[in-house]
Every structure is written in C-alpha cells, then in structure tokens.
Amino acid sequence: MASSLVGIDIGTNLIKLAVCQKGRITGLYSEPVPDDLVRDGQIISYEAMSDFLKEVFKKHRITEKRCSVIIADELVYVRYISMPYMKPEQLKINLPYEFHDFISEDKNKYVFDYAFINVKEGGDDSAGELELMAAAAKKSVIADYAESLKHAGLKLAAAVPYVMTYSNIIREAESRITEVENNGVVREYCFVDIGHTSCRINIFVGRKLVATRVIEYGLNMLDSAIAEAEGVDIHIARTRKESDFNGVLSSETCVNVYNAIAIEIMRAINFYRFNNQESLLAEAFICGGGGKIAPLMDVISANTDLAVIPVESLTDCPKEFIKDAELFTCAIGAARQ
Ligand SMILES: Nc1ncnc2c1ncn2[C@@H]1O[C@H](COP(=O)(O)OP(=O)(O)OP(=O)(O)O)[C@@H](O)[C@H]1O
Ligand SMILES: [Mg+2]
C-alpha cells in the first residue's frame, strides 16, 4: 500500500478530498465547485479545474501530492469478469478482449486495469479461477486528468471508477471481519449516493458489483422547491437548505422531495429483488450530501423496507471524522488503493 494518497471525488456541487497517510485518514475537506465546471460528472474545463485544485490544496494546506482521482461513470467501462487462472502477464494481454462487446474502437486508445476479487490458483486436480473487476478508460481521458493535476503541482497516482471506491471500502471492512463472525455468509451491500444532481445505487454481493441504477433525482431538487416556496433565488435556497434555516429541512416542501426520492429508490430495489429472488437485502448505506439530511434518512427508512445503516461502520474513520463519513465515502474509497 502506498504510504500517502489524496482521494479526490469531484462532484457537480462539491469537491471532496480524503487525505490518507500510512493507511489512516488524516483529513477530509470539501469545497463548493465553481458553477458549470462539472456537468453530468464530467469536467468541462480541465484548465479551470487545475486552478481550482491548486486553490483548494493551498487553502487547506494539503502537502501530499499523490492523488487518486475518481473518474466519472460516463468515462469508464467497468466489468466483473470470471476467467481461468492466468499469470499477470497473460492477464494483461487478455483483458482488452474481455471488452470487445463495449469498445469498437482501436483498443490501443484505451488503458485497462483490474482489481482481484478472488484468486484460486488451482492445483494438480483442479483448475484455477480468477474473479476480477476490470476497467477500461480512454488514454486521452486519463491524460487530461494527469495534465490537469500536473498544472496544479500534483501527481495522478491512480484514476478510479466510482464503483471501485465502494469495492475498496468493502475490502477494507471485510478484512476487519473474521471468517467466524461472518459465518461464511457473503454479505450484500447497497450504497445509495444521494448527490446534487443524481442518486446512484450500487449493489454488491461481497466485492462483486451486481447492480447499478442511476436516478436523475438529486438534492438540487430541494434548492428549486425551497426557492419556489419561499420566493428566493436558487443560491439563497441552497444556503437555507445547508443551514436548515428555520427548520426548512423538515418542511412539507422538502418532505415531498424526500418522498419522491424514496419512491424511486424503492423502485430500484424492487427491480433488483425481482431479478435476484435469492436476495436478502435489508439495509442501505446512504452516502453523499443526502447523508447529511436526517429527515431524508427518516423518510427513506419509513418509505422503503431498508434499514439505513451509517456508512461509518464500514469506513474505519478516525473518531474526529465519523460525522463526515457519508459525504466522503467515495473519496475515502479512492484513497484506499
Ligand atoms: N449539511 C448539509 N445539509 C443539507 N444539504 C447539504 C449539506 N451539505 C451538503 N449538502 C448538499 O449536498 C449536495 C452535495 O452533495 P454531494 O457532494 O454528494 O454532491 P455532488 O457529488 O457534488 O453531486 P453529484 O454526485 O450529483 O455530481 C448539495 O446539494 C449540497 O447543497
Ligand atoms: Mg457525487
């Protein structure tokens, strides 16, 4: 494990940084992203992002240079692959062919990477097997991120797809659970990231990603609802939301939005259960800004049959950072390479 790394989650509304030194979280920082710098998870201007990163690192006096940046789902293909055991050199040659259904262009334009979920080397009488999460991204995309960081005086140590950050968190959490405690049962993990513009649900069985669903509902809906109900501009509405001004987060206006979000989450879960009849899924980890809104958690608990579990139980966050574990889940996962 590298000694120090800054996990960076660039959202539409907030940038989240998790500084990890010698495997321990030593700082969590967030800053509002300038308007229109990020759209649909994608960076609109890498040059402006570079200036912004420089500013944020300076403001928080972060001296670590090695960064592990999350790349938007739209820019990366991620696949779960199960294949006969092979050595890393062979795997490197074979990996691009596993993506032939997704990538029709020249494969040389892509970089491929993987993380093992399970390795069975096999013996004289049994064939070995590999289970891995593999990812492919365009070289030009990785180069854009690397260049943007370089101009900010930083170094791109890793580019991580969102789903891999959860997988890293599960790996760390499971490494703390003994086989006996786990009773040999493979646990289902449901992460619901309620962000500014969307809500992303990722379900894992152990470290294997089994379902992904993106709902185009986010906390910006609260901004519009508050702005309309209170006759204020959208930025003022956002400030009122973030400071729970006059208890606005418990108002009927906001509860209506929570209900709409909860119904969509339940729909996605029902769809998953329908397709996975053996599923015993009963709990969800809420991440992102949504995790900061207690009445929203209550509505999700009441309107879905999922128990909302604090994500801190997985992240091994030092005490002083526990209250921020939800917002920083992906940044922490990125720093846990
Ligand atoms: N303490 C708080 N109370 C209420 N809302 C909050 C609080 N802190 C942050 N938010 C809201 O959470 C949202 C930001 O959350 P998050 O960082 O998960 O989104 P994002 O990653 O920027 O968006 P997306 O994932 O959609 O690109 C914003 O709408 C912000 O106003
Ligand atoms: Mg986000």
Side-chain angles (χ1 to χ4, degrees), residues 9 11 16 162 193 195 200:
D9 175 5
K16 278 83 62 185
Y162 268 101
D193 176 359
R200 275 191 297 255

Side-chain angles (χ1 to χ4, degrees), residues 214-267:
V214 180
I215 302 165
E216 299 299 333
Y217 281 18
L219 302 177
N220 59 355
M221 286 164 60
L222 288 172
D223 302 350
S224 325
I226 295 170
E228 200 182 313
E230 304 194 356
V232 294
D233 132 287
I234 202 97
H235 293 96
I236 294 176
R238 189 172 307 158
T239 316
R240 290 189 177 184
K241 171 187 73 177
E242 289 171 3
S243 59
D244 195 12
F245 182 73
N246 279 344
V248 68
L249 290 176
S250 306
S251 67
E252 195 185 336
T253 305
C254 289
V255 172
N256 288 340
V257 175
Y258 306 153
N259 280 326
I261 294 176
I263 288 170
E264 287 305 315
I265 294 173
M266 196 64 231
R267 272 201 188 133

Side-chain angles (χ1 to χ4, degrees), residues 39-327:
R39 215 174 297 142
D40 299 327
Q42 302 194 31
I43 296 168
I44 303 301
S45 159
Y46 283 93
E47 215 178 299
M49 181 52 72
S50 188
D51 294 339
F52 175 58
L53 284 170
K54 207 171 177 173
E55 239 174 70
V56 175
F57 272 67
K58 192 171 163 203
K59 176 173 173 184
H60 295 288
R61 298 199 181 94
I62 304 170
T63 52
E64 300 305 331
K65 301 283 179 230
R66 299 177 67 251
C67 300
S68 171
V69 182
I70 302 173
I71 36 178
D73 289 338
E74 293 78 3
L75 299 175
V76 61
Y77 298 103
V78 181
R79 284 202 62 199
Y80 165 81
I81 301 171
S82 163
M83 58 184 359
Y85 178 82
M86 59 181 76
K87 297 221 161 67
E89 314 83 77
Q90 291 168 297
L91 186 55
K92 212 172 160 193
I93 296 168
N94 277 294
L95 214 47
Y97 297 100
E98 296 291 334
F99 284 88
H100 69 262
D101 286 346
F102 306 91
I103 300 171
S104 51
E105 285 171 87
D106 179 0
K107 300 216 174 27
N108 288 321
K109 287 187 180 163
Y110 283 78
V111 269
F112 299 88
D113 200 1
Y114 59 88
F116 289 123
I117 294 181
N118 240 321
V119 180
K120 262 195 274 163
E121 278 202 24
D124 296 340
D125 51 0
S126 65
E129 205 191 327
L130 290 180
E131 278 182 75
L132 37 100
M133 292 259 278
K138 271 197 175 154
K139 282 181 182 165
S140 59
V141 167
I142 305 297
D144 284 341
Y145 275 91
E147 190 70 5
S148 180
L149 287 175
K150 196 173 156 199
H151 279 132
L154 305 168
K155 188 176 177 348
L156 182 71
V160 211
Y162 268 101
V163 292
M164 295 297 283
T165 68
Y166 297 119
S167 183
N168 290 348
I169 288 200
I170 296 170
R171 183 193 62 223
E172 295 266 318
E174 295 199 335
S175 71
R176 292 191 293 274
I177 304 170
T178 64
E179 194 65 28
V180 179
E181 282 170 15
N182 217 10
N183 254 343
V185 176
V186 183
R187 186 171 169 192
E188 280 172 300
Y189 298 87
C190 174
F191 294 93
V192 181
D193 176 359
I194 307 178
H196 188 63
T197 52
S198 66
C199 185
R200 275 191 297 255
I201 301 177
N202 285 294
I203 302 174
F204 291 78
V205 173
R207 288 178 58 209
K208 177 180 171 186
L209 177 70
V210 290
T212 291
R213 176 82 204 279
V214 180
I215 302 165
E216 299 299 333
Y217 281 18
L219 302 177
N220 59 355
M221 286 164 60
L222 288 172
D223 302 350
S224 325
I226 295 170
E228 200 182 313
E230 304 194 356
V232 294
D233 132 287
I234 202 97
H235 293 96
I236 294 176
R238 189 172 307 158
T239 316
R240 290 189 177 184
K241 171 187 73 177
E242 289 171 3
S243 59
D244 195 12
F245 182 73
N246 279 344
V248 68
L249 290 176
S250 306
S251 67
E252 195 185 336
T253 305
C254 289
V255 172
N256 288 340
V257 175
Y258 306 153
N259 280 326
I261 294 176
I263 288 170
E264 287 305 315
I265 294 173
M266 196 64 231
R267 272 201 188 133
I269 301 296
N270 284 340
F271 183 72
Y272 167 73
R273 285 183 177 142
F274 180 77
N275 287 311
N276 299 273
Q277 303 270 336
E278 72 292 354
S279 166
L280 298 172
L281 189 66
E283 44 186 45
F285 298 94
I286 309 291
C287 329
K292 288 270 180 205
I293 305 178
L296 170 59
M297 302 294 98
D298 295 342
V299 169
I300 293 174
S301 296
N303 289 341
T304 69
D305 55 3
L306 297 170
V308 173
I309 309 282
V311 80
E312 74 198 41
S313 58
L314 295 180
T315 52
D316 195 22
C317 247
K319 261 206 189 92
E320 65 268 36
F321 300 122
I322 279 179
K323 65 176 192 346
D324 289 326
E326 282 85 11
L327 186 60

